Amino acid sequence: MQKHIHHTILCLLALLVCSCGADKNLKRGEKYLALGEYYDAATEFKTAYSKTPAKQRDRRGQCARKMALCYEKINSTQKAIAAYRNVIRYKQDDGQTHLSFARQLMKNGNYKEAVQEYQIALDSMPDNLLARKGLEAAMAAPALKEQGSRYMVKKMEIFNSRRADYSPMLFGEEFDQLFFTSTRNEAEGDELSGITGTKNGDIFFSQKDDKGKWGKPQRIESGLNTAYDEGACSFTPDQREMYYTMCSTDPSYPRYAKIMKSSRSDAAWSKGNDVELTKDTLSSYAHPAISPDGEWLYFCSDMPGGEGGLDIWRIRLTSDGYGGVENLGNVINTPGDEMFPAFRPNGDLYFSSDGHGGMGGLDIYIAVVNERGRWQLEHPGYPLNSQGDDFGMTFEGPHNRGYFCSNRGDGRGWDHIFSFEKPEIIQTVKGWVYENDGYELTAAQVYMVGNDGTNQKLSVRSDGSFTEVLKPGVDYVFLATCKGFLNHKEELHIVPTQESEEHVLQFPLASITAPVMIDNIFYDYDKATLRPESEASLDELVTLLNENPNVTIELSAHCDYKGSSQYNIGLAQRRAESVVNYLIAHGIASDRLTPKGYGKEKPKVVRKKLAAQYPWLKENDVLTEDFITALDEEKQAICNQLNRRTEFIVLRTTYGMFDKDGNLKSQPKTPKQEKPELDEGFDFDE
């Protein structure tokens, strides 16, 4: 009897010791959980579970519930499923348990069992929207996967590591850089995150070489990355600013994600500055996305006033700062989580959600504004979406191809970067606006007008280019304008095709203040007779003058230093008159044209572009006889050729705008017609 009592006392003491040890782990786990450090919390809860005797079923079930929550947060789907099974096994389950369990089963592709668990959840929570949508999704997912789509998906090993790599974002005029977030070993800092068990994320980038091959990813080495978590970046349309997410750590308080902004200078990104969207300091702000027009910042937040979980919000960007925040509403947002907004350049909003059903985890959705101005959702199907988390879209210009990330098929839940492409027949225009000497005009604007009612103002990028999608069967007119330069117009008729096509247009703008060279004007030797090969350039000048009807010009001809001044001036004058006569014969009013022969009186002044072409010339060199004769024979020949030129300079920009009494004439309006035209009185939408 005493032996039995002694054994019972030992068992009770052992249970007490185990319980005390488990309590310490539980307390530490609760502390980590409150701070959002789910990996560390899961470790403590797992230890507490192991230390809790099997007979203490309630305590074991409660530990398992906390473990399941933490594993769910860090994407350890298999461990979360095992933990939820133990919650149910130890009878600590409720309707929410079965709902969470079903959502994890969906992420694992266990659709049949997920249907059963969703049904149990609905039995106890009949009004739960997530359970109802989840049940519908679990029943539909196998057929959705079987149906597939035209999307082609491929894992991009060059970008991926043995840790998490996510939120890709293409950058550069030619989309030849890819920025993304990674927790790989090369990230800054030495400590492992209490949230994920890996290093904190940093922003990395990969550069494409001349052959189109991506290089090994490099960490941004400026002050942008820190020992904290940085990631999920987005760029303004001019590519001069980056918005991104940062999570700092604090040993005493929960860590809230916040949005930061960095500026680019000399190809380097500055240290980030806080972006204060509201005065709320107890909510998270993450996953910034700039709208294609640069007027809105979209982001996700759990701030009050949403539909539940993380919602997508937006705030207007103004020259005076930030406007008020707007929730995107319940067509997009649900009681679940909506995250990772991103834009295709055509304005379509892509985001990820676990609240709309889908195939499991976060699914990608496309939100388009319909004719009534309301959001309309589309699920792009499999394989863009999968049973795992799919998110973080970025597009290669107007094409339906680019990169995204997914943790599909990864047993540890790490995110990896994939490429995607959905074959489409798409026609685009790529245009360059530049001054006649070849330098880009970044301050220029291009107006695009189509006979289908299109009337858009396009801004050019930093290299003077623009890209726009075109509609088959539409006639377009493009007018490039820039202060201090004459306008330039181009036309396109878009014919339906069976494959994608890019139309290339050039917009060389003539200066109003500097002489403009007319290339490829040829005369018979020692005569003023224009050669036939000059007609193409002269016809372009006729077009230019017709497109700028309020301009008058001086048309000048110049010779090299050989021969007498009097003879050269006479020859140059006759040549200038030959060009003017050609222009008059092609409809240009004679009082808009002043011929002037300068002979060798005005030697050419070297401009920047010419100096780049001939390194032995410097900007502002004047090609005088003394300058030329000091050079070798080959360079003398080049300089003499440069001096033998025909050019024009703008004299007035108000021709025909005033009547004889000096009053401004009313400008004509463009009549409605099938083929659009632009003239000096065309009204543009600003």
Side-chain angles (χ1 to χ4, degrees):
M1 180 70 177
Q2 282 187 335
K3 184 178 180 181
H4 177 70
I5 292 171
H6 181 67
H7 176 73
T8 303
I9 291 171
L10 286 176
C11 288
L12 289 171
L13 286 172
L15 285 172
L16 186 61
V17 170
C18 287
S19 295
C20 289
D23 284 343
K24 289 180 180 178
N25 294 115
L26 277 171
K27 285 181 180 178
R28 281 199 294 264
E30 294 286 2
K31 179 184 177 182
Y32 289 134
L33 183 60
L35 293 172
E37 296 180 351
Y38 302 111
Y39 181 87
D40 288 347
T43 302
E44 295 295 336
F45 291 139
K46 181 182 179 182
T47 303
Y49 178 88
S50 300
K51 289 180 178 180
T52 302
K55 291 183 179 180
Q56 296 185 14
R57 299 177 63 82
D58 290 358
R59 284 173 63 87
R60 273 209 145 197
Q62 290 160 12
C63 285
R65 181 197 291 273
K66 296 179 188 298
M67 287 165 58
L69 171 63
C70 294
Y71 287 137
E72 188 175 330
K73 291 288 188 180
I74 61 175
N75 286 328
S76 289
T77 304
Q78 299 281 5
K79 291 181 178 180
I81 288 173
Y84 278 123
R85 290 195 194 280
N86 282 329
V87 177
I88 297 168
R89 172 187 171 195
Y90 289 117
K91 300 188 184 306
Q92 295 300 302
D93 55 309
D94 55 17
Q96 187 61 48
T97 303
H98 290 276
L99 175 57
S100 298
F101 184 29
R103 286 158 71 86
Q104 292 301 298
L105 290 167
M106 286 285 286
K107 287 188 72 171
N108 205 43
N110 299 1
Y111 297 130
K112 188 174 181 179
E113 190 177 359
V115 168
Q116 298 171 359
E117 293 299 322
Y118 277 127
Q119 192 60 65
I120 295 171
L122 272 173
D123 289 344
S124 61
M125 302 182 298
D127 296 327
N128 189 290
L129 183 61
L130 289 178
R132 188 165 300 282
K133 279 191 170 290
L135 177 61
E136 294 171 0
M139 296 172 69
L144 196 60
K145 185 173 182 178
E146 180 69 25
Q147 177 183 340
S149 71
R150 296 179 67 227
Y151 281 95
M152 297 179 291
V153 167
K154 180 183 177 183
K155 193 172 181 180
M156 296 296 294
E157 299 297 346
I158 183 66
F159 304 133
N160 295 313
S161 67
R162 299 176 68 181
R163 294 293 183 267
D165 303 283
Y166 59 95
S167 291
M169 185 59 58
L170 284 163
F171 180 81
E173 310 297 354
E174 301 299 325
F175 312 103
D176 56 358
Q177 293 182 52
L178 187 78
F179 288 71
F180 62 93
T181 308
S182 180
T183 62
R184 64 187 63 197
N185 291 334
E186 291 82 0
E188 287 200 16
D190 298 319
E191 294 185 8
L192 299 183
S193 167
I195 297 180
T196 63
T198 66
K199 297 184 80 169
N200 285 324
D202 275 349
I203 299 176
F204 287 71
F205 74 97
S206 177
Q207 178 77 48
K208 190 182 284 187
D209 64 20
D210 294 339
K211 297 179 180 178
K213 183 180 179 181
W214 289 105
K216 182 181 178 182
Q218 306 289 324
R219 187 183 66 204
I220 295 177
E221 294 295 347
S222 65
L224 180 72
N225 286 317
T226 68
Y228 296 136
D229 234 331
E230 290 88 22
C233 63
S234 176
F235 302 101
T236 53
D238 62 11
Q239 303 197 337
R240 293 174 182 169
E241 292 181 324
M242 174 201 295
Y243 287 78
Y244 62 98
T245 309
M246 187 177 85
C247 296
S248 57
T249 54
D250 191 302
S252 306
Y253 297 97
R255 47 190 270 160
Y256 297 105
K258 58 184 178 181
I259 292 174
M260 307 287 287
K261 183 170 71 171
S262 169
S263 299
R264 184 167 64 106
S265 177
D266 296 327
W269 292 100
S270 69
K271 182 179 179 181
N273 296 308
D274 288 24
V275 173
E276 186 180 281
L277 301 178
T278 73
K279 298 297 183 183
D280 179 358
T281 59
L282 297 178
S283 299
S284 291
Y285 302 87
H287 308 160
I290 307 296
S291 61
D293 58 12
E295 294 186 2
W296 294 93
L297 169 62
Y298 286 66
F299 60 97
C300 71
S301 176
D302 57 358
M303 74 174 89
E307 300 295 326
L310 290 166
D311 275 14
I312 297 178
W313 304 69
R314 71 175 186 174
I315 191 168
R316 188 178 287 278
L317 302 175
T318 72
S319 56
D320 297 324
Y322 304 100
V325 295
E326 301 177 11
N327 188 281
L328 294 196
N330 60 13
V331 174
I332 286 177
N333 293 315
T334 70
D337 289 332
E338 281 68 47
M339 309 161 74
F340 298 99
F343 284 94
R344 191 174 172 183
N346 66 2
D348 292 350
L349 171 65
Y350 286 67
F351 68 97
S352 293
S353 171
D354 63 7
H356 284 286
M359 299 183 67
L362 291 169
D363 269 31
I364 294 167
Y365 290 85
I366 308 169
V368 180
V369 177
N370 62 23
E371 294 177 353
R372 293 181 293 175
R374 297 177 181 174
W375 291 110
Q376 187 170 312
L377 292 191
E378 174 190 341
H379 185 278
Y382 180 84
L384 190 65
N385 285 313
S386 68
Q387 65 200 40
D389 292 319
D390 305 292
F391 60 99
M393 302 284 284
T394 184
F395 292 86
E396 189 182 321
H399 304 284
N400 201 349
R401 64 176 181 252
Y403 302 93
F404 75 110
C405 47
S406 176
N407 56 22
R408 63 185 70 184
D410 189 284
R412 301 188 66 180
W414 301 135
D415 301 311
H416 302 292
I417 295 174
F418 292 74
S419 67
F420 74 90
E421 181 171 7
K422 184 181 181 183
E424 289 182 343
I425 298 173
I426 183 171
Q427 295 204 61
T428 58
V429 58
K430 178 92 180 257
W432 276 273
V433 187
Y434 53 92
E435 60 171 307
N436 265 54
D437 272 354
Y439 286 96
E440 63 273 5
L441 290 171
T442 57
Q445 288 188 325
V446 177
Y447 296 90
M448 182 176 82
V449 179
N451 62 355
D452 65 337
T454 298
N455 189 350
Q456 290 179 250
K457 182 170 68 174
L458 314 176
S459 295
V460 302
R461 294 191 285 260
S462 59
D463 64 347
S465 71
F466 65 89
T467 303
E468 197 67 29
V469 176
L470 305 172
K471 298 176 185 176
V474 177
D475 291 338
Y476 291 97
V477 172
F478 298 85
L479 183 72
T481 68
C482 190
K483 187 175 182 180
F485 293 84
L486 300 181
N487 298 337
H488 184 97
K489 183 173 70 174
E490 293 287 344
E491 299 182 10
L492 275 180
H493 174 65
I494 306 305
V495 179
T497 63
Q498 296 303 309
E499 55 186 45
S500 295
E501 184 177 0
E502 182 179 73
H503 304 268
V504 178
L505 296 178
Q506 306 281 346
F507 295 85
L509 301 192
S511 173
I512 289 175
T513 57
V516 178
M517 180 85 166
I518 310 172
D519 291 323
N520 300 319
I521 300 297
F522 304 101
Y523 307 91
D524 286 337
Y525 177 71
D526 209 25
K527 295 181 180 178
T529 309
L530 284 165
R531 295 180 61 80
E533 53 264 42
S534 304
E535 291 187 7
S537 291
L538 292 174
D539 290 343
E540 289 179 7
L541 181 56
V542 170
T543 300
L544 179 68
L545 291 168
N546 283 329
E547 290 171 358
N548 296 271
N550 302 123
V551 165
T552 66
I553 64 170
E554 177 190 273
L555 197 295
S556 58
H558 304 262
C559 301
D560 56 36
Y561 66 82
K562 298 174 182 178
S564 69
S565 293
Q566 185 176 359
Y567 177 80
N568 278 340
I569 289 175
L571 177 61
Q573 181 67 31
R574 293 194 302 276
R575 287 180 169 179
E577 289 170 357
S578 293
V579 174
V580 165
N581 290 336
Y582 184 95
L583 300 177
I584 293 171
H586 287 76
I588 305 301
S590 60
D591 57 349
R592 296 179 61 195
L593 307 168
T594 302
K596 179 67 175 178
Y598 285 100
K600 59 182 180 182
E601 289 181 4
K602 285 193 172 184
K604 187 170 182 65
V605 178
V606 175
R607 296 188 66 193
K608 188 176 181 181
K609 190 73 174 180
L610 197 58
Q613 184 179 353
Y614 300 106
W616 44 274
L617 292 175
K618 297 193 296 292
E619 189 175 2
N620 297 320
D621 278 349
V622 182
L623 304 186
T624 62
E625 182 175 354
D626 289 342
F627 180 92
I628 295 173
T629 54
L631 302 172
D632 61 43
E633 286 189 14
E634 183 180 351
K635 292 174 182 176
Q636 286 187 32
I638 292 172
C639 289
N640 284 329
Q641 180 62 46
L642 291 173
N643 270 334
R644 296 192 294 270
R645 68 198 188 276
T646 304
E647 59 190 21
F648 71 85
I649 190 168
V650 174
L651 300 177
R652 290 172 54 203
T653 58
T654 57
Y655 173 84
M657 293 176 63
F658 299 92
D659 62 22
K660 58 183 175 61
D661 298 320
N663 298 316
L664 184 66
K665 294 179 181 178
S666 60
Q667 297 296 296
K669 298 291 181 182
T670 298
K672 291 183 179 179
Q673 51 195 341
E674 285 192 10
K675 190 169 184 178
E677 289 186 2
L678 299 177
D679 64 15
E680 67 274 22
F682 196 94
D683 290 327
F684 289 109
D685 291 336
E686 291 295 330

